[in-house]
Amino acid sequence: MAEKPSLKKKLLPLLLTAFVILADQLTKALVVKYIPLYSPFNENSIIPLLGDFVRLIHVRNKAVAFSIGSSLPLETRRILFSFIPLAIIAFVFVLYFRHNEFTGLQRWAICGIIGGGLGNLIDRFFRPAGVVDFIDCYFFGLFGLERWPTFNVADSAVVVCGILFVLTFIVQAKNESPDTTRQKEASL
């Protein structure tokens, strides 16, 4: 059985949550202030960073990933994309503090996911025009996409930390496989 982590070990990763929210909201504020809302007729609405590979572009998303749900009525979107995710984040937060089996890396990953989720929820509650997205990447025509859907810092944190979280479970399962257990028992 794993040792129960101290409160300090549970609180420290919340620094990542705060950092993600701060970085997300700061970059969004800068985009809103300095980059005009995208229009194909406005040359200043796209700023190349790495040529055509990575660009900054100011767009608003009133739906979720890949603009799924953008045609739903406003009140339905508000419930589906604001209040349900808020309830899920609250549930994950409670689980985070009650569950003692997470590794340190898993705790950091969870806190990155929570930070990203809260970063986008802040936009959903306080930016009626939609979530600010601004990172636009070339996608080589993979999956029929010339460019990946525009995203932001919060989205990046959710994806990167989500992948890291899943990988930690895969590694953990591999380390606890029956072959590994037999090898440990044989060495005793």
Side-chain angles (χ1 to χ4, degrees), residues 62-178:
K62 292 186 177 189
V64 290
F66 303 99
S67 295
I68 295 171
S70 60
S71 63
L72 293 172
L74 176 64
E75 286 307 310
T76 304
R77 281 196 320 257
R78 185 171 302 230
I79 291 168
L80 287 176
F81 307 147
S82 298
F83 295 107
I84 291 175
L86 183 60
I88 291 169
I89 289 171
F91 173 76
V92 169
F93 200 70
V94 168
L95 185 66
Y96 174 85
F97 278 101
R98 286 192 177 169
H99 189 46
N100 293 320
E101 301 302 317
F102 292 124
T103 66
L105 188 55
Q106 288 168 340
R107 289 193 180 284
W108 283 92
I110 291 168
C111 286
I113 294 167
I114 291 172
L118 289 173
N120 279 335
L121 276 179
I122 290 168
D123 279 23
R124 294 196 190 287
F125 285 113
F126 299 106
R127 294 185 195 269
V131 174
V132 176
D133 286 332
F134 58 91
I135 303 168
D136 178 61
C137 298
Y138 182 69
F139 202 59
F140 307 101
L142 297 171
F143 307 112
L145 299 171
E146 192 63 31
R147 305 200 71 76
W148 187 253
T150 309
F151 58 98
N152 57 44
V153 172
D155 297 334
S156 299
V158 169
V159 170
V160 170
C161 291
I163 291 169
L164 182 62
F165 188 67
V166 170
L167 288 175
T168 62
F169 278 106
I170 292 170
V171 169
Q172 199 172 32
K174 186 175 181 177
N175 289 341
E176 294 173 0
S177 71

Side-chain angles (χ1 to χ4, degrees), residues 28-71:
K28 288 174 178 174
L30 291 170
V31 165
V32 168
K33 183 172 182 174
Y34 293 110
I35 301 175
L37 199 55
Y38 173 73
S39 165
F41 307 109
N42 183 352
E43 291 179 16
N44 296 326
S45 65
I46 298 177
I47 301 171
L49 288 181
L50 297 172
D52 195 43
F53 185 68
V54 177
R55 310 180 307 186
L56 295 181
I57 181 172
H58 178 182
V59 297
R60 299 296 181 104
N61 186 358
K62 292 186 177 189
V64 290
F66 303 99
S67 295
I68 295 171
S70 60
S71 63

